[in-house]
Structure formats: C-alpha cells, structure tokens
Amino acid sequence: MALANHFYQNLAGSYLFSEIAKRVNKYSAENPDKKIIRLGIGDVTKPLPPSVIAALHKAVDEQATAEGFRGYGPEQGYDFLRETIVNDCFAQFGFEKDEIFVSDGAKSDIGNFQELFDISCKVAITDPVYPVYADSNVMAGRAAAQKDGLFQGIIYLSCTSENNFVPELPKERPDIIYLCYPNNPTGTVLTKEQLKIWVDYARANESIILFDSAYEAFIRTPGIPHSIYEIEGAKECAVEFRSYSKIAGFTGLRCGYVVIPRNLSLKTKNGGSAALRDLWLRRQTTKYNGTPYVVQRAAQAVHGEQGKKEVKELIDAYLLNAKHIREGFANMGLTVYGGVDAPYVWLKLPINDSWKFFDELLNQVNIVGTPGQGFGLCGEGYFRLTAFGSYENTLEAVERLKKFKF
Ligand SMILES: *Cc1c(COP(=O)(O)O)cnc(C)c1O
C-alpha cells in the first residue's frame, strides 16, 4: 500500500458537528413529538436575491447560443467581475483589477493560500477560531498534532471576555497571522485603532496578515472597518479574503475572491524576493480552472444598485434575528457578545461546560446551538448561536427561553 500523507494524521477528529448531530438525533428519536429549532447552523436559509437570479437566467441563456457560449474562462476571473469588484470596493485604496483573484469561495482560498509559504513559517491564529486556518496548516506539515487541545507549533491568540475578544500581540513572532473580522464564532469586531495595532506589528515584524472579511457586509456600527485596507499601511502587509456566501446567499452557488496587493512579497531562499500575487497566479493557473461564467455574472449583480438594496434587506433580516437572540439570552441574565455587526451571538455561560449547556438547552426547550469548546480551548464556557434561521423559528426560540432555567 502507498503511504498516506502523515501530516493528515495530525488533524484532530471533526468531532464537533458529528457530536452535535449524534446528540440531536438521539433526542429526537426519544422525543419524536418535539419540534427542534436549530440555531447552530452556519448556513444561510434565505433564497438568492431576485437580481442575482435574473443575472443567472440571462447567463444560462447565453450558453445556449454560439456567440454567448463560454468555455474555460480566465483562471483569475473575468474582467467584468474583477473590474466591478475593484470599482465598487477597492479602487478607493488604489487597487487595480489585476490584484483581484476570483474563486469558488473563501474557504478554498484561505485553505489553499498557505501553500505559498515555506513549511518553516510560523502561524498565529485566534482562539476560538474558524477551523480552516489551523487545519490547512496542519495538513501542510506546518504544525504538529494537538497536545491538551492545542496544535503544537501554532501560536494561539486568546480571545475571551477578559480582553473583550481583542487579541493581544504575540510574544513570539509569527510569519503568518490569520484575523477574521467580523469574527466567526464570537460575532465581535475590531475598531480601526485595534486593527491598526496589528497592521503596525505586521509591518514592523515583516509578517503577513491573512484577513478574512467574509462577514463585512453585516457591519452596521459606523466607523468599524469593512476592509483591512482602511488601515494605513495594510497594503504592505495584508491579503484580504471575501465571499459572497453569507452576504448574498451564495453558499451553494460558490463565489469569493482574494485581494493581493501588487507590492506584497516573500523572500526566496537565494536571497531574492517573490511577489505574492505572482505566486498565487502560478498556483491558480496550475490547480484551478476558473469560477463558472454564470456564477461570476451572478456575483456581478450583487454589486449593482438593485443587488445592493436586496442584499441589505437580506442581511437586515438576519441581523434582526440576531437582535432577538441577544435580547432573549440577555433577559435570562446571561452576558451576550456579538450579534450587532455579525450573524453570530456568543454567550458567556455561568459554568465552564459548554456541552452541559448544550444538553440543557436541547432537553428543556429543544433549541440547538454550538458549544464554544468546539472552536478552541478559549471557547469553553461560551456558546454560539446563529441568526441564519427563519424569523418565525427565531421568535419561537426566544419565547421558549422564558421557560429555560439554568
Ligand atoms: C462561511 C465562512 C467563510 C466563507 O466560505 P465560502 O467558502 O466562501 O462559503 C469564510 N470564512 C469564515 C470565517 C466563514 O465563516
């Protein structure tokens, strides 16, 4: 037999969502009459906005004509979409369309991007965290198996109520720093001043920040940065990942993009340097054959006047759910974080056992959430609820909370 990539053996089991499913299935088998409300899901539930659907139909019809048919497209994405993205979001920071790379979503981009770095590079992630950042580096051999819940060799940046979920600068210098704001799972954001501390640190230490802004469109508080490039100097140290998934319902359609400043470089072994943009282009032209034309037309519609209006309504509806969830748990006397500029509400529990809270919530009021422990050691004692359910279910869940005793 051929030998398996042994770095994969260093991954921790994907225990969280299978364990949740196991407990929920057991409960519903024993209580078939009970209606379970799921506030644990990380997927959107509302249909695609009408202008996206119209763009899809039009692009599909084009495929039926000899003139309109498109085969392989440019690996980096069609000009029409990259121009639209730049004009709408990034021209204000001086970007041009050759610094934008369209993809099938932020998860693949973020998972793949670590390939551009040497195996010796040190990685820093927040704790709790979206698991892709750590796992993709473990698969590449950049970190070893977990000891006491921590991958060895990864620099963890604790985010708890004690530091108000603002990560402190690390003692040891990382080469790569993953930041995600608005944050999944905590739903918290960073101010410009707080983000600037990281940009300044990365510039001074020649680290690269990989900034995940998948939830930027949920920001409603004025002054909170939507893009890391709002911070002076970020073009010298940061790459930004964006996705249409959560903002416009593209979780099934699949489209995202990455912004790579032209002047951002890594050093090479022979003492030279390599532009990050060129390395990514090489990677994508070798391993990726482009996002479907019809999907890129759909993404373009999100940036249109009507598309923007529809997307705002979509997000407003999720944020209204978040507000009800926040208030429901706050009325129980729990401290709640997030849910204002993000679709996630992060509860601080009165006990340091998020699985016990999970069981109580399920058994007493038939509501499913996600134990914070599943997102990292610092997530223990916290609990994540998502605003992606329907309005009716969310209201019913909040009503049920009035009977919940903890
Ligand atoms: C959902 C999510 C993404 C988006 O992934 P896609 O592959 O674009 O669907 C990226 N980052 C975070 C933190 C997410 O929660």
Side-chain angles (χ1 to χ4, degrees):
M1 271 193 275
L3 193 61
N5 177 348
H6 65 275
F7 295 134
Y8 278 53
Q9 312 304 310
N10 292 335
L11 294 165
S14 53
Y15 160 81
L16 178 64
F17 289 99
S18 57
E19 181 62 24
I20 290 174
K22 204 175 102 190
R23 293 188 192 207
V24 173
N25 291 343
K26 180 167 181 287
Y27 181 84
S28 39
E30 288 165 4
N31 304 275
D33 56 315
K34 296 281 206 270
K35 180 189 162 198
I36 292 172
I37 298 181
R38 288 165 207 272
L39 299 182
I41 42 165
D43 195 359
V44 298
T45 52
K46 292 186 194 304
L48 289 159
S51 43
V52 169
I53 294 295
L56 278 171
H57 279 302
K58 182 162 177 280
V60 167
D61 286 341
E62 285 174 47
Q63 301 310 299
T65 66
E67 313 78 55
F69 171 75
R70 309 285 178 127
Y72 289 125
E75 290 92 346
Q76 198 177 339
Y78 282 101
D79 279 357
F80 67 78
L81 181 55
R82 290 186 294 121
E83 270 160 21
T84 301
I85 291 167
V86 161
N87 292 338
D88 192 26
C89 310
F90 295 98
Q92 54 177 315
F93 311 118
F95 283 97
E96 295 180 63
K97 69 172 191 291
D98 63 342
E99 295 165 290
I100 309 288
F101 292 75
V102 177
S103 72
D104 62 353
K107 190 180 188 175
S108 355
D109 282 342
I110 294 165
N112 294 329
F113 208 80
Q114 49 73 31
E115 278 183 42
L116 308 188
F117 296 84
D118 190 76
I119 193 173
S120 66
C121 286
K122 275 269 173 191
V123 173
I125 59 169
T126 60
D127 178 7
V129 76
Y130 179 61
V132 180
Y133 314 147
D135 286 357
S136 58
N137 280 288
V138 172
M139 287 169 160
R142 218 167 274 114
Q146 287 188 341
K147 273 203 193 99
D148 302 324
L150 300 174
F151 288 112
Q152 299 299 291
I154 284 193
I155 299 168
Y156 287 90
L157 312 163
S158 306
C159 294
T160 64
S161 58
E162 264 124 72
N163 58 16
N164 217 8
F165 306 95
V166 180
E168 280 144 41
L169 295 173
K171 294 187 181 66
E172 182 189 357
R173 174 195 167 272
D175 296 286
I176 310 166
I177 302 164
Y178 289 89
L179 294 177
C180 173
Y181 291 96
N183 189 258
N184 177 10
T186 67
T188 57
V189 291
L190 291 187
T191 62
K192 279 190 182 154
E193 294 70 29
Q194 289 162 339
L195 192 52
K196 182 158 192 309
I197 292 173
W198 283 92
V199 169
D200 291 347
Y201 175 87
R203 287 169 73 194
N205 289 279
E206 300 191 331
S207 310
I208 301 275
I209 296 175
L210 301 182
F211 191 74
D212 182 347
S213 61
Y215 296 97
E216 64 77 26
F218 287 79
I219 294 171
R220 290 290 178 269
T221 305
I224 296 297
H226 289 242
S227 165
I228 194 165
Y229 303 117
E230 289 179 41
I231 314 300
E232 199 194 320
K235 280 179 95 173
E236 291 158 43
C237 64
V239 172
E240 181 161 323
F241 299 86
R242 289 224 178 161
S243 167
Y244 295 94
S245 284
K246 313 302 171 25
I247 67 170
F250 275 52
T251 52
L253 205 53
R254 312 301 308 141
C255 194
Y257 58 93
V258 47
V259 185
I260 312 176
R262 189 191 316 283
N263 294 330
L264 211 49
S265 293
L266 302 180
K267 65 181 178 205
T268 57
K269 272 212 163 132
N270 63 11
S273 74
L276 211 46
R277 190 202 160 275
D278 295 343
L279 295 173
W280 186 244
L281 185 64
R282 188 73 174 83
R283 193 266 169 211
Q284 291 298 80
T285 50
T286 302
K287 297 195 184 180
Y288 190 61
N289 247 340
T291 308
Y293 171 75
V294 295
V295 173
Q296 293 192 54
R297 282 295 183 196
Q300 185 185 28
V302 172
H303 296 273
E305 203 183 317
Q306 182 61 20
K308 278 187 181 159
K309 202 173 141 260
E310 292 164 3
V311 160
K312 183 174 178 299
E313 281 167 15
L314 204 67
I315 296 176
D316 281 345
Y318 289 134
L319 287 173
L320 182 61
N321 288 348
K323 180 172 174 281
H324 285 294
I325 296 169
R326 273 176 66 91
E327 287 171 1
F329 282 97
N331 288 341
M332 282 179 53
L334 292 182
T335 309
V336 293
Y337 298 94
V340 176
D341 296 307
Y344 299 114
V345 175
W346 191 241
L347 303 180
K348 186 165 167 55
L349 305 177
I351 53 161
N352 211 36
D353 187 345
S354 51
W355 279 107
K356 180 157 187 339
F357 187 83
F358 174 91
D359 288 333
E360 290 294 332
L361 201 60
L362 175 62
N363 287 304
Q364 287 186 41
V365 286
N366 315 137
I367 298 171
V368 179
T370 313
Q373 189 253 8
F375 299 102
L377 281 190
C378 290
E380 184 54 295
Y382 296 88
F383 200 77
R384 191 189 77 171
L385 296 147
T386 78
F388 287 131
S390 71
Y391 185 62
E392 295 69 34
N393 280 351
T394 303
L395 284 192
E396 191 183 333
V398 170
E399 195 54 38
R400 288 184 194 178
L401 283 180
K402 291 178 182 159
K403 287 178 283 173
F404 181 55
K405 295 215 166 28
F406 196 75

